[in-house]
Amino acid sequence: MMQQSPTFPFQPSAPGTLGVEMEWMTVDTASGAQVPAAPYVFEVTGDTPRIKPELFTSTVEINTGIHADTPACMDELAELYARVSDILQPRQTALFSSGTHPFSKWRDQTITENPRYYRLLERLQWMARRFNIFGVHVHIGMPDGDSCIRVMNHLLPVMPVFLALSANSPFWNGEDTGLAACRIKIFEGLSQGGMPFYFNDWRDFEHCAGRLLATGSIDSVRDIWWEMRPHPDFGTLEIRVADMPASRNDVAACVAYIRAEAMAALAGSVAEKRIHPSLIRENRWRACRYGMQTELIDPHTETTVPLLSWLSRRLETLATHGATTTDIHMVAEQLPAWQKNGDGASRQRRLMKQYRDFGRMIETMRQQDGWR
């Protein structure tokens, strides 16, 4: 007889509240190579939920508190960045933002001493060792589990747009992959990686997560690494598909757009239908390959359209269906720069063509990232 699935209580949050996690690399300021500087940062900061370790000792994760709007969240991210940068500067190390490191190799990275990471390595083996990848995670507050699932279903068709706007990982182990966002191809190799699924309601999700737990496929809900997932302990929907964007302005616009879509979904004023996963997967591939230069398949008309043109029209819809004026403005304000300069991957390739040297490329990227 099949056992009853366990429940995963959803801790309610104020709808539309916002928190952001960013995975920063620590690099040598002279060569641009990854260096294991994170343990020193934690010696200085101590145990704090705002500045945390990750799988490798060359990664520092910064996490905001809970905010009511995107500008306040961005202000805290800037403050945290400055705090960590000040700690690293005397050691000739710095923070660097990219979905992958352009030339440092995953084999050379050392593991953070943490029992959970050791368990992950034992279970995932080669897949975990290759996790030298970096993203930005956006948490949106949800009032209950059913609302969280409804919003996740709503966001599935536009999830590839989140990836395209953040695309910033063209290089892997010193090679140009030909992709705008190769990070996602590493991440999807996990048994619980890749796209999430449509669910009917929270009970449907509980059944799925309970089955994975009962069969030893995961140790907790935290081991579900979909590119978008409910986070019942925080009471949020967590959007995890995005690369670490190239600049502060890119981060602000990406976060604002994600929140705008979520707010419209929470309002329930934009009628959406379930889009066949095959179309979402194709758009996800196009975003991975071409970034914001892609021709998107419009989920509703099934015709192709330049992604930034589609986004411009989408903002007009969201502006009258629950998104805040501030979020819409933050995205619209960045559109001309995106139209002129493209995504982070395009900028990396232009710098590499100019310098023919990864070190100089990374130095220029840091100078232009806008966080100082």
Side-chain angles (χ1 to χ4, degrees):
M1 183 176 177
M2 183 179 295
Q3 291 184 338
Q4 185 176 358
S5 297
T7 59
F8 300 91
F10 191 92
Q11 303 300 323
S13 294
T17 48
L18 176 67
V20 174
E21 305 168 1
M22 298 186 72
E23 297 166 341
W24 290 89
M25 284 177 255
T26 54
V27 297
D28 178 77
T29 54
S31 68
Q34 279 180 266
V35 290
Y40 175 70
V41 172
F42 307 132
E43 285 179 19
V44 176
T45 63
D47 186 14
T48 166
R50 299 289 163 257
I51 303 170
K52 297 173 62 178
E54 254 293 343
L55 178 62
F56 295 121
T57 57
S58 54
T59 309
V60 174
E61 180 180 287
I62 64 173
N63 305 312
T64 71
I66 301 170
H67 293 281
D69 58 47
T70 306
C73 190
M74 290 302 304
D75 287 344
E76 186 179 10
L77 286 172
E79 292 169 4
L80 291 167
Y81 171 91
R83 182 181 177 191
V84 177
S85 291
D86 288 346
I87 294 170
L88 291 172
Q89 187 174 11
R91 296 197 162 212
Q92 289 73 53
T93 54
L95 295 176
F96 174 59
S97 179
S98 179
T100 54
H101 192 280
F103 69 86
S104 288
K105 293 178 170 55
W106 57 266
R107 294 180 182 86
D108 298 333
Q109 307 310 309
T110 56
I111 305 299
T112 299
E113 293 186 7
N114 182 294
R116 180 170 183 262
Y117 295 145
Y118 293 143
R119 289 195 300 273
L120 285 176
L121 285 169
E122 177 60 29
R123 170 180 287 173
L124 302 175
Q125 295 294 318
W126 184 67
M127 294 307 306
R129 286 291 302 152
R130 294 168 71 234
F131 255 41
N132 194 33
I133 55 178
F134 308 87
V136 57
H137 302 171
V138 181
H139 289 261
I140 308 293
M142 297 289 147
D144 53 71
D146 286 342
S147 295
C148 185
I149 294 301
R150 178 171 57 81
V151 174
M152 187 168 78
N153 289 344
H154 180 106
L155 264 56
L156 256 173
V158 298
M159 192 178 70
V161 182
F162 304 153
L163 175 61
L165 296 179
S166 67
N168 191 33
S169 53
F171 297 103
W172 177 252
N173 290 348
E175 293 186 23
D176 189 330
T177 63
L179 306 177
C182 78
R183 163 187 165 270
I184 210 69
K185 306 311 289 183
I186 309 300
F187 209 14
E188 72 183 10
L190 297 173
S191 62
Q192 299 307 320
M195 283 174 49
F197 310 97
Y198 282 112
F199 291 97
N200 295 325
D201 50 26
W202 184 251
R203 186 70 191 102
D204 191 17
F205 170 77
E206 282 187 316
H207 181 72
C208 172
R211 180 172 59 243
L212 293 171
L213 192 66
T215 56
S217 304
I218 60 173
D219 291 333
S220 73
V221 177
R222 292 176 63 196
D223 294 338
I224 296 175
W225 289 295
W226 300 332
E227 292 153 1
M228 182 166 56
R229 69 180 183 185
H231 201 306
D233 293 343
F234 290 172
T236 64
L237 177 64
E238 181 184 5
I239 294 88
R240 305 158 48 86
V241 70
D243 276 358
M244 274 286 283
S247 72
R248 178 177 176 174
N249 286 343
D250 289 333
V251 174
C254 287
V255 171
Y257 174 55
I258 290 170
R259 185 168 183 267
E261 288 282 2
M263 293 297 282
L266 276 168
S269 57
V270 178
E272 297 287 353
K273 64 177 182 179
R274 289 197 177 186
I275 304 301
H276 197 279
S278 64
L279 191 153
I280 302 172
R281 286 179 62 88
E282 174 60 22
N283 276 337
R284 179 179 172 278
W285 160 249
R286 290 177 179 224
C288 167
R289 171 65 179 88
Y290 301 107
M292 65 175 62
Q293 287 76 33
T294 194
E295 292 276 325
L296 181 79
I297 304 172
D298 187 296
H300 303 292
T301 66
E302 298 190 5
T303 58
T304 57
V305 59
L307 182 136
L308 292 179
S309 297
W310 181 91
L311 178 60
S312 181
R313 294 199 298 270
R314 182 69 173 176
L315 292 179
E316 296 175 3
T317 300
L318 296 176
T320 58
H321 288 82
T324 69
T325 302
T326 299
D327 284 334
I328 296 298
H329 177 73
M330 290 176 72
V331 184
E333 194 174 44
Q334 185 64 8
L335 270 175
W338 282 342
Q339 290 161 346
K340 179 181 178 180
N341 301 317
D343 50 39
S346 300
R347 286 172 250 172
Q348 286 198 39
R349 288 193 171 103
R350 284 198 298 271
L351 289 173
M352 189 57 189
K353 185 177 181 180
Q354 176 182 350
Y355 293 126
R356 303 288 180 182
D357 177 83
F358 279 123
R360 292 187 67 189
M361 182 191 86
I362 291 170
E363 181 182 11
T364 304
M365 289 172 64
R366 291 195 301 102
Q367 292 171 348
Q368 295 178 351
D369 66 15
W371 285 99
R372 292 160 188 78

